Amino acid sequence: MRHLIDFTDLSEREWEHLYRRFEEIIEHPGDYRDALKGQTLASLFYEPSTRTRLSFEAAMLKLGGGVFGFSDPAASSVSKGETLKDTIIMTSAYADVLTLRHPREGAALAASLYAAVPVINAGDGGHCHPTQTLTDLVTLRRLRGSVDGLRIAVCGDLKYGRTAHSLLRALSRFEGISAVLVSAPELSLPEYVTCPRMPLYKQPDLRAVIGEVDVLYMTRVQRERFRDPAEYERLKDRYTLTPEILRDAPEDLLIMHPLPRAGEIDEAVDSDSRAVYFEQARFGMFARMALLLELCSLPPFAVKATGTPGVHRCNNPNCITKTEPCLPVFEGSVCRYCEHLSP
Ligand code: NCD
């Protein structure tokens, strides 16, 4: 692994190693106080974030490293029209590792082609979010002892929810997992999110599945990805988890959510011992410390693409290839950047 674009970039051995490191850090955080002294993280957030950005920044500071970057692209040269390519070339000259959140699908892969240091995808449009998945998996393993054998329901916005995409794909690499997809038909999982070997069931009725699963993973309807605000209004309140619905749920259910929530978990659920979403977010910082330690120990490497203008064929209007002029063109029926079908 040089960059983390999606969770499946990690081998099984790398995941094992990261989990062990996460446990060591959480047990003995003081041992890591100076582990990345003298190294710097560039935190490039082109989209709003609370947990992901702050937990990355806290992780780097707790490892003794430094952080710089922007959380509002309007305050950087992006507002003057600078391309992602130029921003990445420059910041990778100043930092030892980059973390990037961007509204366009495929932006992290694009950035990794121009970076001389590791790029971590902190969310690329409605596509992937591997460090949330890392957070989710360490939470599952820490609280259940293992990820294998899990029965999970993933509920909410499966169409635009990048956390759901990365999580489902990652889970399909474990043993004996079954997943129930709970969503409105308009917000169902895109075809490109394939989960080999893992049975996926669809059940739009949350009450019908709540008694049958070990984990309920709730997600927010992603307002910012809708082209039609009326469509968002129509779909946003389809699912609300309440104490009343939870009456039929197992006593050892884990209720997870990447957060932020926008009404899909009633606040009365917070005092239920099965609600672990705040603990999940806390684990996220330790998981990111483990990841930064790994990536910052890599030797320097060569940039893969210098870039010449080319014609990209991609059906997705929100693909990074629509705004980044010099990305390498890949042949094939699926766009290499955002994974949507090419015409
Ligand atoms: C998620 C994201 O940004 O995709 N948040 C997060 O990183 N924890 C989920 C969301 O915004 O709904």
Side-chain angles (χ1 to χ4, degrees):
M1 172 193 41
R2 283 185 161 177
H3 305 284
L4 187 67
I5 308 303
D6 198 15
F7 189 84
T8 44
D9 294 342
L10 293 173
S11 67
E12 232 167 88
R13 245 190 50 214
E14 285 168 326
W15 150 246
E16 262 317 304
H17 181 73
L18 277 180
Y19 184 74
R20 290 223 190 88
R21 196 41 92 71
F22 157 81
E23 289 238 294
E24 278 165 28
I25 297 172
I26 214 167
E27 302 298 341
H28 308 285
D31 292 358
Y32 292 87
R33 210 171 288 138
D34 293 324
L36 291 184
K37 201 167 173 187
Q39 306 233 36
T40 44
L41 164 73
S43 172
L44 312 174
F45 277 70
Y46 291 71
E47 259 195 348
S49 170
T50 299
R51 270 147 297 270
T52 305
R53 184 173 68 82
L54 297 182
S55 69
F56 258 120
E57 296 185 7
M60 193 60 176
L61 295 172
K62 281 179 187 277
L63 292 166
V67 180
F68 67 87
F70 52 82
S71 55
D72 176 5
S76 77
S77 284
V78 173
S79 64
K80 301 180 192 168
E82 185 159 67
T83 58
L84 180 64
K85 172 187 168 186
D86 291 3
T87 305
I88 295 298
I89 291 174
M90 288 326 307
T91 47
S92 77
Y94 306 147
D96 300 287
V97 58
L98 310 181
T99 179
L100 173 75
R101 170 167 289 190
H102 199 281
R104 289 205 168 253
E105 286 101 46
L109 176 62
S112 74
L113 302 179
Y114 296 124
V117 297
V119 172
I120 303 172
N121 184 4
D124 60 328
H127 186 216
C128 298
H129 194 345
T131 66
Q132 182 60 48
T133 297
L134 181 63
T135 299
D136 301 339
L137 294 178
V138 299
T139 303
L140 287 169
R141 187 153 163 188
R142 177 113 177 144
L143 299 182
R144 289 183 79 245
S146 167
V147 179
D148 293 329
L150 189 78
R151 295 170 307 163
I152 185 170
V154 184
C155 174
D157 186 346
L158 308 184
K159 179 178 181 187
Y160 298 117
R162 56 195 175 194
T163 61
H165 300 167
S166 286
L167 176 62
L168 286 163
R169 249 201 311 223
L171 285 174
S172 72
R173 307 220 316 196
F174 290 81
E175 294 301 320
I177 311 263
S178 67
V180 189
L181 309 177
V182 185
S183 75
E186 297 88 335
L187 296 181
S188 57
L189 200 65
E191 270 175 27
Y192 72 80
V193 183
T194 51
C195 299
R197 300 190 309 127
M198 183 170 91
L200 289 177
Y201 305 98
K202 282 190 182 174
Q203 171 51 273
D205 181 0
L206 180 57
R207 285 175 196 268
V209 300
I210 195 106
E212 309 294 324
V213 291
D214 309 303
V215 173
L216 172 61
Y217 192 96
M218 295 295 292
T219 63
R220 173 179 72 91
V221 177
Q222 307 279 294
R223 178 169 48 88
E224 64 275 37
R225 312 269 176 243
F226 281 74
R227 286 175 190 281
D228 175 5
E231 171 93 336
Y232 168 72
E233 288 300 323
R234 196 169 62 72
L235 295 168
K236 71 179 173 46
D237 296 323
R238 180 68 57 99
Y239 298 101
T240 305
L241 186 66
T242 60
E244 192 261 314
I245 295 179
L246 280 166
R247 257 192 270 139
D248 298 327
E251 269 171 29
D252 57 355
L253 178 78
L254 297 180
I255 306 163
M256 297 175 65
H257 193 305
L259 301 175
R261 61 181 149 181
E264 61 282 352
I265 300 184
D266 189 307
E267 289 197 24
V269 173
D270 296 358
S271 54
D272 189 310
S273 60
R274 295 169 289 187
V276 298
Y277 29 87
F278 292 119
E279 200 173 11
Q280 176 187 356
R282 189 176 76 85
F283 289 156
M285 181 188 71
F286 297 104
R288 291 182 172 105
M289 286 171 81
L291 179 66
L292 287 172
L293 271 174
E294 260 350 275
L295 290 175
C296 287
S297 63
L298 293 176
F301 45 84
V303 174
K304 281 204 207 120
T306 48
T308 46
V311 180
H312 291 277
R313 298 182 319 125
C314 177
N315 269 336
N316 173 12
N318 201 39
C319 178
I320 190 66
T321 59
K322 305 290 180 212
T323 50
E324 221 28 56
C326 289
L327 285 170
V329 177
F330 293 103
E331 289 307 314
S333 57
V334 169
C335 171
R336 185 78 65 89
Y337 296 93
C338 70
E339 302 185 77
H340 286 62
L341 280 178
S342 305

